[in-house]
Structure formats: C-alpha cells, structure tokens
C-alpha cells in the first residue's frame, strides 16, 4: 500500500462515526493521568517517570497485565479521580470520532481499594455529563464482576448495580482471569441482572478455550462476548455465533500486548469474519496497550486487506451491537452509509 493510499485509509477510518463497546475505565487512564495519580499515591508502586511507566506497561503475559491493571486501579480514591478518568476517556474517544462508548467499571474492586460507592457514582455522573456536554460523546456503563474474587464479588456487584442503578447503566459483565474461574458460578447474578433489564456481556474465551464461551452463552445468557478469541478453535461455536448473530468484542492490540496472540496476521479475527461472525473492534485498555480505536480499524483493515465497504461494516456492527435506542442507531448507521456512498 502506498503512503497516499494509507493516508486515505486513515482519513476514511477517522471519518467513520464509531461506537466503542469494550473499554475499561481504569484501563482508559491516559499516561499523564496515571503519572499524576502515581505521584499522589506512591504506595501503589506505579512509576512516576514516563519511561519507567512505559516499561511497567510492557506485559509478560495476561496475569502480569492484571497485576499492573489492579495497581493502577488502586490509585483511584475519590470522585475527582473518577471524573478525571471519565472525561479523559471521553476526550480520547472524541479524538477518534467515537460517538458512543460502553465503559466497564468494576465497583467491587474500587470499594475494596477504599473508593466509597457514592464517590464512584458521583464521579461517573459528573464525568458522563461532561463527556456529553464538552466532547459530544455519549457514555454508558457496564458494571462487571472481578471473577477472581468469586461469588462474593458477584453478589456485591449485583447488589450495587441494582440498588444504585445509575443513569447510563446498561449491562452486567465479568472480567479478570478465566483459567480456574468458571463462568457458571456467576449464573444467579447474571440471571438476576438480566431480569432487572441489564444486558449480559461477560468476557469469555480471551485466555481460555471455547468451552468458556459456551458457558458464557448457556449459563450467563451472554448477548455479546468480550474478546471471544478462542471461538476460532471451534467450528460449531463459530457457526452458532454467526447464526444467532451474537457479536464478539474483538480487541486485537490487547491480545497482542498480553501475548495471547503472536501477530495481527495470526489473530483469529480473520477466521471469525470468514465464518460470518459479527465482529466489533475495540481497545480494552487503550493507553496501557498503546492502542487507539482508529488504530484497531487500521491494523485489521491493512492486515486483512479490507475494502472501505468492509471497514464500514465493522463500524456498522458496533452500532448495531450497541445497547442504544433504535433511533440513535439508525442515525449513526445513516452517517456511515453516507460516507460509503460518497467515499
Ligand atoms: N480481561 C479481563 N479483565 C480485564 C481486562 C481484560 O481484557 N481488562 C481489564 N480487566
Ligand atoms: Zn476487557
């Protein structure tokens, strides 16, 4: 691809209105924000120097990534910290021409780290209002269970979500390690969350095999799958996801940085698309991984040699898979269509 073609591709991706469906609040903290927090909270052990932080954000494997992620999360202690994270994310999203994002928040971990629940909720509310007013970005929340903390975390996360039910809360999730953390143990909490009208969006198949994805579907009523990379190893699962139009929130750079895949060329996203799975592209924890939403689109488009209409389809997938009202979806889809017909 020539430099000119690449610049055109970049401009096309930038112009696409996008929805980000898989991004964690703590993992969206910009480098400057992390450095500022680290200076205020030295006990967390997060580097205060830019180069050291870059080394700190070089992950040996997935469990090392989680250790680092938890250290960053432990520095978030009051409503101002939360507001700073939310507005920082909104600014970054606006820069990517992302109009809407579903942001994963892990209340149980924040409460354990000494961030009071009302401070968390206040920071989310003021941050969300500022995101809309100042950046034109609509944010929705997914409250997720930190799986490694077991059923107690499941129960507490459910109670917090249903008791507080903040504006913008649309879904219920499950994150953390997968190996040794069976999805099925969280079935009662997902059932109750779904009965209360929250959508089910667990992580599954990021660091374990297709059986975890099947369990997320059967036991947790998953409406979308977080990561889902290992579905590529199971043809029956690929067919099931395609047939039932269950979207997969693919986060390619995340999988590279946590060393779950070796290269973009060998990433299962190709196989998912070949089997007709509804793929959405997402960043997961963007500054920690050096990822941007446009970068994910560019990387996949270049690696797979996608045409503009195929790239636009990925943006359409995210809008269609979003928990947005029908009118908002059709407005965004119309904007995408206009770009493809004029582009
Ligand atoms: N997987 C599980 N838990 C997480 C992730 C992830 O990719 N990012 C932040 N918490
Ligand atoms: Zn994630």
């Amino acid at each position: 691809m020539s430099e000119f073609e690449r610049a055109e591709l970049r401009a096309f991706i930038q112009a696409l209105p996008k929805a980000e469906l898989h991004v964690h609040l703590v993992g969206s903290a910009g480098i400057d924000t992390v450095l500022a927090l680290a200076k205020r909270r030295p006990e967390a052990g997060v580097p205060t120097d830019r180069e050291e932080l870059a080394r700190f954000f070089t992950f040996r494997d997935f469990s090392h990534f989680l250790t680092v992620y938890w250290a960053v999360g432990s520095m978030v202690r009051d409503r101002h910290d939360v507001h700073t994270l939310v507005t920082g994310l909104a600014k970054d999203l606006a820069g990517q021409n992302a109009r809407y994002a579903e942001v994963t928040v892990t209340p149980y971990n924040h409460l354990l780290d000494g961030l009071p629940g009302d401070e968390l909720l206040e920071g989310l509310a003021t941050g969300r209002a500022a995101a809309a007013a100042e950046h034109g970005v609509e944010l929705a929340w997914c409250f997720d269970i930190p799986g490694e903390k077991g059923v107690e975390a499941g129960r507490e996360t459910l109670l917090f979500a249903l008791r507080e039910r903040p504006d913008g809360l649309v879904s219920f999730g499950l994150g953390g390690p997968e190996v040794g953390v069976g999805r099925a143990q969280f079935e009662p909490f997902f059932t109750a969350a779904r009965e209360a009208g929250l959508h089910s969006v667990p992580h599954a198949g990021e660091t374990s095999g297709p059986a975890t994805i099947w369990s997320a579907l059967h036991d947790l009523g998953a409406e979308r799958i977080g990561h889902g990379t290992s579905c590529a190893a199971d043809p029956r699962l690929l067919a099931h996801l395609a047939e039932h139009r269950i979207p997969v929130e693919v986060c390619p750079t995340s999988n590279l940085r946590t060393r779950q895949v070796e290269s973009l060329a060998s990433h299962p996203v190709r196989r998912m698309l070949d089997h007709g799975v509804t793929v959405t592209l997402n960043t997961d924890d963007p500054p920690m991984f050096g990822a941007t939403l446009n970068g994910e689109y560019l990387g996949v488009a270049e690696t797979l040699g996608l045409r503009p209409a195929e790239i636009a389809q990925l943006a359409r997938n995210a809008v269609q898979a979003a928990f947005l009202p029908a009118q908002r979806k059709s407005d965004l889809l119309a904007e995408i269509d206009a770009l493809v017909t004029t582009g």
Side-chain angles (χ1 to χ4, degrees):
M1 183 179 286
S2 72
E3 268 315 300
F4 177 74
E5 285 168 327
R6 199 150 193 268
E8 278 211 316
L9 182 58
R10 270 183 198 281
F12 177 71
I13 289 169
Q14 170 68 34
L16 280 172
K18 285 167 292 284
E20 160 75 271
L21 303 181
H22 190 124
V23 61
H24 297 259
L25 182 62
V26 165
S28 73
I31 299 298
D32 289 333
T33 302
V34 175
L35 290 170
L37 282 172
K39 284 193 184 118
R40 260 190 283 155
R41 321 239 191 256
E43 68 280 6
V46 175
T48 52
D49 171 87
R50 200 168 289 272
E51 273 167 34
E52 255 182 77
L53 185 62
R55 275 195 295 279
F56 192 66
F57 282 171
T58 305
F59 308 113
R60 290 188 294 278
D61 53 28
F62 184 74
S63 72
H64 175 225
F65 157 71
L66 280 180
T67 307
V68 169
Y69 181 90
W70 291 327
V72 175
S74 75
M75 303 192 297
V76 181
R77 294 291 175 81
D78 62 33
R79 65 181 68 193
H80 304 292
D81 295 341
V82 176
H83 182 94
T84 302
L85 292 190
V86 176
T87 50
L89 169 59
K91 184 167 187 277
D92 290 346
L93 287 165
Q96 305 292 305
N97 198 18
R99 308 291 180 78
Y100 170 79
E102 290 172 22
V103 184
T104 297
V105 178
T106 314
Y108 190 78
N109 280 351
H110 287 302
L111 295 168
L112 281 187
D113 285 328
L115 169 67
D118 56 345
E119 293 278 313
L120 170 62
L121 293 163
E122 183 66 22
L124 293 178
T126 60
R128 182 167 181 264
E134 291 163 30
H135 302 291
V137 175
E138 181 180 351
L139 298 180
W141 311 120
C142 168
F143 282 180
D144 84 331
I145 304 169
E148 71 283 358
K149 305 219 172 60
V151 291
E152 176 63 14
R155 188 175 306 111
E156 290 300 320
T157 303
L158 175 73
L159 289 176
F160 187 79
L162 298 193
R163 187 179 67 228
E164 304 298 345
R165 204 75 198 247
D167 283 349
L169 181 66
V170 293
S171 60
F172 197 69
L174 170 59
E178 294 177 20
V179 178
V181 185
R183 308 289 92 173
Q185 65 186 301
F186 302 104
E187 183 273 331
F189 315 118
F190 273 82
T191 299
R194 278 159 48 226
E195 279 171 4
L198 296 177
H199 296 283
S200 168
V201 289
H203 287 64
E206 176 188 18
T207 54
S208 65
T212 308
I213 303 174
W214 283 116
S215 173
L217 293 168
H218 290 142
D219 299 315
L220 309 183
E223 292 163 73
R224 296 193 317 238
I225 302 290
H227 287 280
T229 26
S230 67
C231 74
D234 181 342
R236 210 165 58 79
L237 180 55
L238 284 165
H240 181 91
L241 294 171
E243 185 190 338
H244 296 277
R245 295 202 168 83
I246 296 159
V248 180
E249 302 155 4
V250 177
C251 309
T253 303
S254 167
N255 302 143
L256 279 173
R257 298 286 174 258
T258 63
R259 303 181 193 254
Q260 298 303 299
V261 299
E262 253 177 34
S263 65
L264 206 43
S266 63
H267 193 287
V269 67
R270 182 193 295 270
R271 208 166 140 72
M272 292 183 204
L273 287 168
D274 286 347
H275 284 75
V277 174
T278 302
V279 167
T280 68
L281 294 180
N282 308 276
T283 56
D284 211 12
D285 303 287
M288 287 187 181
F289 297 137
T292 63
L293 192 54
N294 287 342
E296 302 294 343
Y297 277 78
L298 184 66
V300 169
E302 283 195 315
T303 307
L304 304 190
L306 301 184
R307 288 175 288 110
E310 294 169 311
I311 303 167
Q313 185 57 44
L314 293 171
R316 292 177 62 87
N317 288 351
V319 171
Q320 276 158 342
F323 302 126
L324 271 173
Q327 185 62 49
R328 265 288 265 150
K329 288 190 190 189
S330 49
D331 290 349
L332 286 167
L333 292 173
E335 269 197 67
I336 296 173
D337 288 347
L339 266 182
V340 179
T341 44
T342 57

